[in-house]
Amino acid sequence: MEEATLPRLRDDLANSQNNNMNETKQIKTAAVIGCGKRGEGQVGWAIGHMHGLGYKHARQQVRLLGVDLSTENLSAFGAAFALPANQLFDSTATLYAAGIPDIVSICTWPALHAPMA
């Protein structure tokens, strides 16, 4: 590889990273579909709660949304993240009717992923 090519590659990489960071700054909402059930003992919280924690600890502020068919699981998720009722949905249909989130984490059984996307 020519020496002149290396600085160009570095510049291309830096520009790519800057563009990705700018896209990240525009994220406003993140929906967790399949909040899951709170486990006991060593099991801990379901994967949906782990995704929620990830969004809450992101560099940018993210408006977190929860979706679950189980009112018990949805309530527990809402309580864990102090979400108001207008950020909790009982189906993907009600979520998507309210608006399209910037990010969606589908935390259900794998066979259920495609219909929810």
Side-chain angles (χ1 to χ4, degrees):
M1 185 174 290
E2 295 178 27
E3 296 242 355
T5 306
L6 290 176
R8 193 184 83 223
L9 289 174
R10 273 186 246 134
D11 290 343
D12 288 348
L13 178 60
N15 289 335
S16 171
Q17 289 171 339
N18 287 336
N19 288 339
N20 287 341
M21 289 183 74
N22 289 337
E23 289 174 16
T24 303
K25 289 180 183 178
Q26 296 174 5
I27 295 170
K28 296 180 181 174
T29 58
V32 174
I33 299 175
C35 300
K37 187 173 185 168
R38 182 178 182 200
E40 299 296 328
Q42 293 181 2
V43 177
W45 291 95
I47 194 66
H49 287 262
M50 297 310 292
H51 280 248
L53 284 172
Y55 293 128
K56 283 297 185 182
H57 289 98
R59 282 191 245 174
Q60 282 102 332
Q61 186 175 7
V62 174
R63 184 172 178 254
L64 184 61
L65 310 173
V67 182
D68 204 293
L69 297 175
S70 163
T71 54
E72 182 182 339
N73 294 353
L74 192 58
S75 294
F77 187 83
F81 295 102
L83 300 179
N86 68 344
Q87 288 178 229
L88 300 172
F89 301 89
D90 61 1
S91 70
T92 54
T94 57
L95 168 70
Y96 294 136
I100 304 296
D102 297 299
I103 296 175
V104 175
S105 288
I106 301 178
C107 301
T108 61
W109 291 100
L112 302 174
H113 286 192
M116 295 180 182

